[in-house]
Amino acid sequence: MGNGTTEKNIIIKGIGGFYYVKTADGVVETKPKGIFRNINIKPLAGDFVEIEEVNGDYVITEIHERKNSFLRPPIANVDRVFIVISTVEPSPNYTVIDKMTAICIKKGIFPDIIITKTDLLKDDGLSGIYEKAGFSVTDINMENADKEIIGMMKGGLSVFAGNTGVGKSTVLNRLFSHLDLETAKISRKLGRGRHTTRAVEIYDFEGGSVADTPGFSYIDTEREQPLYADEIEHLFPEISPYIGKCRFNDCSHTSEIGCAVIEKVKSKEISETRYKSYCDIRKEAEGISRWEQND
Ligand SMILES: Nc1nc2c(ncn2[C@@H]2O[C@H](COP(=O)(O)OP(=O)(O)OP(=O)(O)O)[C@@H](O)[C@H]2O)c(=O)[nH]1
Ligand SMILES: [Mg+2]
Ligand SMILES: [Zn+2]
């Protein structure tokens, strides 16, 4: 069913072992074939699949080759990533944000930044940090922000990612009046680990599609999304222009004399928080060798 010539079947949501597949004839609930478990492949939202009816139930029989895939948030075949950051409640977690920008760039996607909650706490340098690094930054509370963001989302699959409670679902509700996503105040009592959005879900709008995703508050670059020590300098757009310009050819840009990157941090051309993230991620990666893991 739905194996048409023009419309491809796509997983729009996976929850509790079920996958919801949008076909030319509507959305159907499916289960993956046991074979995927055996070869350790988990279907992801965004996957293009083949499905078959077996005794009235639908099963996924094939997952088409992915253009790319993310583990956090879990989604495949992504065209664009918006990293949502709030000025406060929660305040920015630079390590997570900067791991996220690096992972996106590694996967060939230059992410965009959306800043929320500037009505609660004014943006005191947050957008500057990311603009200086070369990212496009939109403050959702500024005039024309909605128009600007929708314009950037046209064509393909956009993903809203970021810490829990930053306002991903709230922004999407505001951008698209046909959406009515669940949102919730972050509760101080419940504290960490409270996620309002429970699963990735893909929604269509005129001109594209967008995924709302559950927030996260850490990224394990060791086990989940490997970043190798020698590639991290290439994944920070404000650092990569200085590769090869330091006194030592194998400069790690963390403590060496004659380091061109450290010079730029001193002269404030490179933001301190971004540089600190670079050093932290690099340190974390130093214990890992490429053959210990497969990505
Ligand atoms: N004042 C203010 N509140 C906001 C803004 N954006 C979001 N909020 C509030 O922040 C809270 C969390 O918003 P959600 O949209 O549920 O956050 P989320 O990122 O989807 O969170 P998860 O689904 O848990 O990952 C809600 O109470 C929103 O009303 C903003 O720009 N200003
Ligand atoms: Mg949400
Ligand atoms: Zn250097």
Side-chain angles (χ1 to χ4, degrees):
M1 158 183 172
N3 188 16
T5 44
T6 49
E7 287 267 339
K8 286 195 265 179
N9 303 324
I10 181 173
I11 299 178
I12 55 166
K13 182 181 184 170
I15 197 162
F18 289 99
Y19 295 90
Y20 295 85
V21 176
K22 194 184 78 178
T23 74
D25 309 313
V27 175
V28 293
E29 188 183 270
T30 69
K31 281 206 134 182
K33 243 183 165 173
I35 187 169
F36 294 121
R37 264 196 309 278
N38 300 338
I39 54 174
N40 208 10
I41 290 182
K42 230 182 120 168
L44 291 171
D47 267 331
F48 294 107
V49 296
E50 297 301 325
I51 61 174
E52 235 170 58
E53 195 189 325
V54 181
N55 304 327
D57 290 329
Y58 289 100
V59 291
I60 297 172
T61 55
E62 190 186 343
I63 300 172
H64 290 279
E65 200 184 326
R66 293 167 178 158
K67 178 159 80 179
N68 55 37
S69 68
F70 288 78
L71 273 166
R72 215 172 265 275
I75 189 162
N77 300 315
V78 171
D79 293 294
R80 217 163 295 102
V81 174
F82 290 88
I83 299 174
V84 184
I85 314 173
S86 50
T87 54
V88 68
E89 292 179 25
S91 45
N93 181 334
Y94 293 110
T95 317
V96 168
I97 298 163
D98 298 337
K99 277 181 179 173
M100 191 72 205
T101 58
I103 289 164
C104 287
I105 292 171
K106 175 168 176 167
K107 291 177 190 289
I109 295 175
F110 204 81
D112 299 306
I113 308 286
I114 292 177
I115 295 182
T116 61
K117 309 204 188 185
T118 51
D119 54 321
L120 295 180
L121 181 73
K122 102 174 171 18
D123 174 2
D124 189 19
L126 182 59
S127 55
I129 290 171
Y130 289 93
E131 274 163 0
K132 213 190 274 185
F135 299 103
S136 132
V137 179
T138 310
D139 176 346
I140 194 67
N141 289 309
M142 297 303 273
E143 213 182 318
N144 286 326
D146 294 7
K147 232 169 93 188
E148 194 179 310
I149 296 167
I150 291 175
M152 293 161 88
M153 291 172 73
K154 289 274 160 71
L157 173 61
S158 298
V159 172
F160 273 46
N163 214 320
T164 190
V166 293
K168 299 177 292 297
S169 305
T170 303
V171 173
L172 287 171
N173 280 339
R174 188 168 128 182
L175 294 177
F176 303 108
S177 56
H178 68 289
L179 295 183
D180 185 19
L181 308 175
E182 193 190 342
T183 65
K185 239 189 157 55
I186 50 169
S187 154
R188 263 168 240 267
K189 241 195 293 181
L190 289 164
R192 289 162 153 266
R194 191 184 178 310
H195 305 282
T196 306
T197 303
R198 301 267 163 82
V200 172
E201 185 158 0
I202 297 172
Y203 304 93
D204 288 332
F205 61 89
E206 206 173 315
S209 58
V210 66
D212 190 15
T213 72
F216 47 83
S217 42
Y218 76 95
I219 294 178
D220 184 343
T221 45
E222 212 163 307
R223 282 189 314 208
E224 293 180 343
Q225 314 236 13
L227 292 174
Y228 305 114
D230 59 359
E231 71 182 349
I232 297 163
E233 60 185 0
H234 297 277
L235 306 178
F236 276 69
E238 70 273 55
I239 288 178
S240 55
Y242 303 106
I243 298 172
K245 305 231 159 102
C246 307
R247 182 179 304 173
F248 303 110
N249 245 338
D250 60 349
C251 188
S252 73
H253 322 301
T254 53
S255 58
E256 293 88 342
I257 23 167
C259 172
V261 173
I262 294 175
E263 282 304 305
K264 296 295 168 189
V265 177
K266 281 186 188 147
S267 68
K268 305 219 179 300
E269 280 163 79
I270 292 176
S271 301
E272 239 167 83
T273 63
R274 289 276 298 170
Y275 178 64
K276 184 178 179 303
S277 293
Y278 166 82
C279 293
D280 290 348
I281 297 170
R282 168 126 199 164
K283 200 162 175 197
E284 210 176 287
E286 250 146 33
I288 322 169
S289 66
R290 278 187 192 263
W291 35 83
E292 269 174 39
Q293 36 174 290
N294 30 28
D295 55 319

